[in-house]
Amino acid sequence: MASELSAGRDPQSERAPLHVTHAALFLAFLKMGLLGFGGVAPWVRQVIVEERRWMDHREFASLLGLSQVLPGANTMNTAVLLGDRFCGISGAAAAVLGLMAAPLAIAVAIVELYGAVSQNPYVAAAIAGAGAGAAGLVIGTGLKIARNLQLSPRIILVTLATFVAVGILRLPLVWVLVCLVPLSIAAAWFDPKS
Amino acid sequence: MLLQIAIVMTSLSLLAFGGANAIVPELHRQVVDVMGAMTDADFTNLFALAQTAPGPNVMILSLVGWRLAGAAGLAVATAATLIPPSVLALAAGRFLSRRGDSRALKAVRAGLVPLAIGLILASGFVLARAADRDALTIAITVLAAAALFFTRINPIWLMAAAAFAGIALRVISP
């Protein structure tokens, strides 16, 4: 059953081979990058599964699971994995470039534009408000993810320990992760509910 | 400076479990506290501006590179953000793509979830401490968090509302 999960390389799926070109990968991820205001993740499933039908829901869930385990932006990992699956390393590069190029250019333009008008008190007030709002959005995102889980003592304990170590004590992230990642994975391994 | 950017961004991008929001406290610690290259307000402003652009949130690393060292900083920070995690993903994908639902991978994922939540909440806390100067900005933060949590409004509208609230407050009480 695991073999059904990887589309590009399996004998089964070669009955209906998918010809996904570098250009198609680039364009699909360009679209996701440009549509992804406030985070790209919701668009990834929409474009890959619903629109282009490059994989079904189960394959996508498996790919997403791996993307989430790896460090780095989830969407970027998805771009790498999907690009590599269809066109090898150059396909991964095409997907990542598609994802990042346009948003990066827009972001730099926004920062420069802001630099030119930041002396204006109303612009400064707007960006101060936006900064306070952005902080709230990050907090809301964290709470939203927590809401979708069944909160067990394990989850609450690890979440709190991480929050206190990084947010309040401001300990270096690498040491916090070196200590907490193995502990948390071990706890999850022995947690019957996970 | 460029070498420092490369080292900081590479290590950050490899520690970003749960996406870019997880590494905001460490990015803030490195750039504001350790390097002293930006002020608290600069950092918050840059984060807010990055939120108004489309695309993955990791772009904040590229923007910090741009702010610290111009085009070269942007290029170095972007390369450091993209290449190491991509190589890792490539290697992991080739080894693990058939085991997306193995018990070990499930345990890793389940173990990383609470860490990611803790890191994201820590990021929000660090950003809020930098951005909230008075009761009114605290109110904006709380309202934005509540609106995201309780409704399905696109976050870009919440950012716009927060910006307008900032202007309105300035007009009412200069």
Side-chain angles (χ1 to χ4, degrees):
Chain A
M1 64 165 238
S3 61
E4 292 166 23
L5 294 175
S6 50
R9 297 195 187 124
D10 285 335
Q12 286 122 310
S13 56
E14 275 167 22
R15 274 179 275 142
L18 266 174
H19 288 295
V20 179
T21 61
H22 289 80
L25 282 168
F26 181 86
L27 288 175
F29 280 93
L30 183 73
K31 177 174 182 180
M32 289 177 237
L34 282 174
L35 286 175
F37 283 98
V40 189
W43 289 104
V44 179
R45 169 186 227 99
Q46 171 74 21
V47 172
I48 293 175
V49 181
E50 310 286 344
E51 276 183 32
R52 316 272 158 131
R53 298 179 184 279
W54 283 346
M55 44 178 55
D56 63 28
H57 286 283
R58 276 188 56 208
E59 288 166 346
F60 182 74
S62 162
L63 194 78
L64 193 67
L66 189 55
S67 303
Q68 286 167 339
V69 167
L70 294 164
N74 291 341
T75 322
M76 216 177 73
N77 291 332
T78 307
V80 170
L81 294 172
L82 202 77
D84 181 42
R85 180 172 294 187
F86 290 126
C87 299
I89 291 175
S90 59
V96 169
L97 284 181
L99 181 66
M100 297 296 291
L104 209 51
I106 293 172
V108 168
I110 289 175
V111 169
E112 285 307 287
L113 205 65
Y114 169 72
V117 294
S118 62
Q119 298 307 312
N120 181 311
Y122 294 105
V123 172
I127 206 70
L137 292 185
V138 174
I139 294 172
T141 304
L143 294 175
K144 219 168 183 171
I145 302 172
R147 180 175 58 184
N148 293 331
L149 298 172
Q150 291 205 315
L151 292 182
S152 62
R154 169 180 74 84
I155 289 180
I156 294 171
L157 210 68
V158 176
T159 303
L160 272 182
T162 313
F163 175 77
V164 170
V166 176
I168 294 176
L169 302 177
R170 308 300 311 272
L171 300 175
L173 181 63
V174 62
W175 298 120
V176 175
L177 290 179
V178 163
C179 295
L180 286 179
V181 167
L183 275 177
S184 183
I185 292 174
W189 177 267
F190 293 113
D191 184 351
K193 276 175 288 181
S194 67
Chain B
M1 179 60 107
L2 287 177
L3 184 68
Q4 211 169 357
I5 291 174
I7 294 169
V8 168
M9 301 307 175
T10 302
S11 57
L12 279 173
S13 66
L14 286 174
L15 293 175
F17 291 103
N21 280 341
I23 46 165
V24 169
E26 183 68 11
L27 182 65
H28 181 277
R29 200 181 71 84
Q30 292 282 356
V31 177
V32 178
D33 302 340
V34 177
M35 293 167 74
M38 281 171 102
T39 66
D40 226 12
D42 273 344
F43 185 86
T44 324
N45 287 351
L46 199 62
F47 185 82
L49 290 168
Q51 294 293 303
T52 64
N57 295 330
V58 274
M59 289 194 314
I60 182 69
L61 296 178
S62 303
L63 289 179
V64 168
W66 169 259
R67 178 52 66 81
L68 295 185
L74 177 77
V76 169
T78 304
T81 307
L82 294 186
I83 296 171
S86 294
V87 170
L88 194 66
L90 208 62
R94 293 192 167 187
F95 282 111
L96 291 174
S97 64
R98 284 137 208 268
R99 297 190 202 128
D101 53 357
S102 74
R103 188 183 168 203
L105 205 58
K106 266 188 183 145
V108 171
R109 206 185 316 168
L112 290 178
V113 164
L115 277 165
I117 298 173
L119 289 175
I120 291 171
L121 291 176
S123 292
F125 184 70
V126 167
L127 287 168
R129 289 222 355 216
D132 293 353
R133 292 156 216 176
D134 45 37
L136 296 170
T137 37
I138 292 175
I140 293 178
T141 300
V142 171
L143 284 175
L148 190 79
F149 186 74
F150 290 112
T151 73
R152 303 190 63 172
I153 302 174
N154 187 324
I156 193 71
W157 301 121
L158 297 176
M159 286 290 291
F164 276 111
I167 297 175
L169 296 174
R170 156 110 204 168
V171 173
I172 296 165
S173 59

